C-alpha cells in the first residue's frame, strides 16, 4: 500500500494474478460483490479502514493490533454493535498447534510457572512509533492476547524496560505471576524466536520438528466459518 486517497490508502506493486485489481480502499468497499475484507495495512490505518469497511457492510478480519490506542479500538467495536457484521482481530497465535494444545492443557489447571518470550531484530517502518505503536503492540501483543484468552484479564500488571524491550508480570489470583518478555533488539539481523514454559510444558520455535499446519490458513478458515 502507499499513502493517498480519502482513506489514506491506494494500492501499488501488487501481483494478484487473475484476481480483480483495485486502485484504492474506496473502490474495494464500493464493490457490492465483496462480502468481507482482510485488513493487513500499517497499524495507524487499522481503525480508520475497519470503520469504513463496516459502514460499507463488509465483514472484517483486522490484523493485530486493532488500533494504536484504546479510544480508537473502542470506536471500531462501537461500529460493530448493531451492524450485523463480524469483526475478528487476527491473533494468529491462537491457531498455532503448540499454543492450541497449551490452551487446552492449561485451562482449569493449577499453574506454578508461566513464561512467554518473543523477540526479533528491529524492523524497518515499524520503528516509526507514531505508525506502529512500538514493540509491545506489534510483537508482545501476541502473548498478551494468548494469556487473556486462557486466564482472562489479569488483576494487575507490572512491567519494566524500554519501549523496545520489556519484562511484564501479569498478576492472577491464586497463581504465580505470568511472565511475558522480549521485544525488538537494535540489531536488525537478530533472529526471530518465540517460546514458552508453562508448568511442565515447554515449546520453542527453534525446535527442529515443526508441524505442517499453516496457522494463517486456519485463522482465515475460522473467520470465514
Amino acid at each position: 500500500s502507499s499513502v493517498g486517497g480519502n482513506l489514506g490508502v491506494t494500492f501499488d506493486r501488487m501481483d494478484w494474478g487473475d484476481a480483480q485489481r483495485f486502485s484504492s480502499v474506496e473502490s474495494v468497499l464500493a464493490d457490492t460483490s465483496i462480502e468481507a475484507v482482510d485488513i493487513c495495512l500499517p497499524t495507524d490505518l487499522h481503525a480508520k479502514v475497519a470503520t469504513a469497511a463496516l459502514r460499507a457492510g463488509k465483514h472484517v478480519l483486522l490484523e493485530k493490533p486493532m488500533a494504536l490506542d484504546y479510544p480508537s479500538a473502542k470506536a471500531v467495536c462501537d461500529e460493530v454493535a448493531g451492524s450485523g457484521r463480524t469483526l475478528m482481530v487476527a491473533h494468529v497465535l491462537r491457531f498455532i498447534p503448540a499454543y492450541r494444545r497449551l490452551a487446552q492443557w492449561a485451562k482449569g489447571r493449577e499453574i506454578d510457572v508461566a513464561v512467554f518470550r518473543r523477540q526479533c531484530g528491529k524492523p524497518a517502518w515499524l520503528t516509526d512509533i507514531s505508525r506502529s505503536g512500538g514493540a509491545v503492540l506489534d510483537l508482545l501483543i501476541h502473548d498478551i492476547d494468548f494469556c487473556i484468552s486462557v486466564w482472562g484479564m489479569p488483576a494487575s500488571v507490572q512491567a519494566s524496560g524500554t519501549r523496545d524491550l520489556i519484562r511484564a508480570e501479569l498478576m492472577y489470583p491464586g497463581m504465580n505471576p505470568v511472565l511475558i518478555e522480549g521485544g525488538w533488539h537494535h540489531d536488525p539481523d537478530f533472529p526471530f524466536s518465540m517460546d514458552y514454559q508453562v508448568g511442565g510444558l515447554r515449546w520453542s520455535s527453534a525446535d527442529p520438528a515443526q508441524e505442517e499446519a499453516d496457522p494463517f490458513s486456519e485463522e482465515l478458515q475460522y473467520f470465514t466459518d
Side-chain angles (χ1 to χ4, degrees):
S1 68
S2 58
V3 175
N6 294 335
L7 285 169
V9 185
T10 56
F11 301 130
D12 60 7
R13 299 189 304 279
M14 293 194 303
D15 181 8
W16 288 355
D18 296 328
Q20 185 175 350
R21 296 171 184 268
F22 297 90
S23 61
S24 67
V25 167
E26 287 88 349
S27 60
V28 173
L29 301 185
D31 189 327
T32 56
S33 69
I34 296 175
E35 297 178 65
V37 294
D38 181 359
I39 299 174
C40 304
L41 297 165
T43 304
D44 59 320
L45 297 169
H46 285 187
K48 179 166 59 174
V49 177
T51 298
L54 290 164
R55 289 177 179 173
K58 313 300 184 187
H59 301 287
V60 176
L61 178 60
L62 179 59
E63 190 52 60
K64 60 81 206 165
M66 64 186 300
L68 286 174
D69 53 53
Y70 172 75
S72 300
K74 185 177 184 304
V76 176
C77 293
D78 291 343
E79 194 67 41
V80 177
S83 70
R85 295 296 178 261
T86 293
L87 168 72
M88 174 176 157
V89 182
H91 285 289
V92 72
L93 207 65
R94 299 189 187 201
F95 298 89
I96 295 177
Y99 286 85
R100 275 184 159 172
R101 287 196 299 272
L102 172 60
Q104 294 170 354
W105 180 86
K107 283 189 174 179
R109 187 184 294 264
E110 185 174 329
I111 304 295
D112 55 351
V113 175
V115 181
F116 296 84
R117 298 183 183 89
R118 183 175 308 272
Q119 54 193 341
C120 69
K122 208 166 188 177
W125 76 268
L126 291 170
T127 58
D128 183 348
I129 300 301
S130 67
R131 303 201 67 194
S132 71
V136 174
L137 277 185
D138 172 65
L139 199 61
L140 299 177
I141 196 170
H142 282 293
D143 303 285
I144 296 167
D145 170 75
F146 180 80
C147 290
I148 291 172
S149 73
V150 175
W151 294 295
M153 290 294 289
S156 63
V157 176
Q158 296 180 6
S160 61
T162 66
R163 178 175 280 167
D164 290 339
L165 289 165
I166 72 159
R167 183 182 191 275
E169 292 183 338
L170 280 57
M171 310 296 183
Y172 289 98
M175 285 178 57
N176 288 329
V178 176
L179 176 63
I180 296 175
E181 59 184 13
W184 294 339
H185 291 264
H186 285 217
D187 179 1
D189 295 323
F190 191 96
F192 171 82
S193 66
M194 59 181 178
D195 62 81
Y196 65 70
Q197 178 188 353
V198 180
L201 291 186
R202 295 173 180 262
W203 180 86
S204 171
S205 59
D207 291 345
Q210 296 293 329
E211 292 152 291
E212 300 272 331
D214 178 1
F216 293 101
S217 295
E218 296 283 339
E219 180 180 66
L220 289 167
Q221 187 64 59
Y222 179 87
F223 171 67
T224 54
D225 288 346

